[in-house]
């Protein structure tokens, strides 16, 4: 399949990933506060708090700015009558080919952040494991589920 047949994730995925990064940063801050409390309450070494704080500060631009953009730029998927191809990865690129006949279950999930942006994640389950296509518009996720169902029925009838 050529690259022009591959589809990208919904552009709203960048904003959703940024919000997930902000939530992660908030959790990192709470952990740093807990470590600071433990440092003063039970005389833990100060370096534990300092290292955790530095890691939180260094990871902030990645969680909020870089990773959302990279995820959107690198994720691709293509659905044909015979297979589903997924290309993903920021540092380590993966190309996954899932034969349509091997798909056992298709599910769509939506957490609070994805729901806010009207996005869903489609989960494709096979005997070997499961694969996700995150950041799809709800309508796109439903149409993908229906398309896979249609192709899976054809494969069952052919057997």
């Amino acid at each position: 399949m050529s690259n022009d047949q591959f589809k990208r994730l919904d552009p709203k995925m960048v904003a959703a990933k940024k919000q997930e990064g902000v939530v992660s940063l908030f959790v990192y801050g709470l952990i740093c506060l807990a470590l600071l409390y433990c440092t003063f309450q039970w005389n833990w070494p100060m370096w534990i708090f300092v290292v955790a704080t530095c890691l939180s500060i260094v990871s902030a631009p990645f969680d909020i700015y870089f990773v959302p953009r990279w995820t959107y730029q690198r994720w691709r998927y293509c659905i044909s009558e015979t297979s589903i191809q997924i290309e993903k990865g920021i540092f380590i690129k993966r190309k996954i080919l899932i034969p349509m006949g091997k798909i056992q279950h298709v599910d769509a999930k939506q957490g609070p952040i994805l729901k806010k942006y009207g996005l869903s994640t489609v989960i494709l389950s096979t005997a070997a494991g499961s694969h996700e296509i995150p950041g799809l518009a709800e309508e796109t996720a439903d149409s993908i589920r229906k398309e896979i169902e249609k192709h899976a029925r054809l494969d069952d009838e052919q057997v």
Side-chain angles (χ1 to χ4, degrees), residues 22-86:
V22 169
V23 170
S24 296
L25 191 60
F26 180 72
V27 171
Y28 298 157
L30 290 177
I31 291 171
C32 288
L33 287 175
L35 288 173
L36 183 63
Y37 174 78
C38 292
T39 299
F40 288 120
Q41 184 67 27
W42 297 301
N43 294 322
W44 283 15
M46 182 61 96
W47 69 266
I48 297 172
F49 166 73
V50 171
V51 167
T53 303
C54 289
L55 288 174
S56 298
I57 291 170
V58 167
S59 72
F62 286 97
D63 286 346
I64 295 173
Y65 184 75
F66 294 114
V67 172
R69 293 187 194 294
W70 290 341
T71 301
Y72 176 72
Q73 290 173 353
R74 302 287 190 251
W75 262 93
R76 304 268 191 280
Y77 69 95
C78 181
I79 300 174
S80 70
E81 290 184 18
T82 58
S83 65
I84 298 172
Q85 290 186 21
I86 300 172

Side-chain angles (χ1 to χ4, degrees), residues 93-113:
K93 294 187 178 188
R94 293 184 62 196
K95 292 183 178 184
I96 302 166
L97 177 70
I98 307 166
M100 199 61 77
K102 300 294 182 182
I103 296 175
Q104 296 176 342
H105 180 73
V106 180
D107 194 15
K109 72 176 182 177
Q110 195 178 44
I113 294 175

Side-chain angles (χ1 to χ4, degrees), residues 60 68 149:
E149 177 185 0

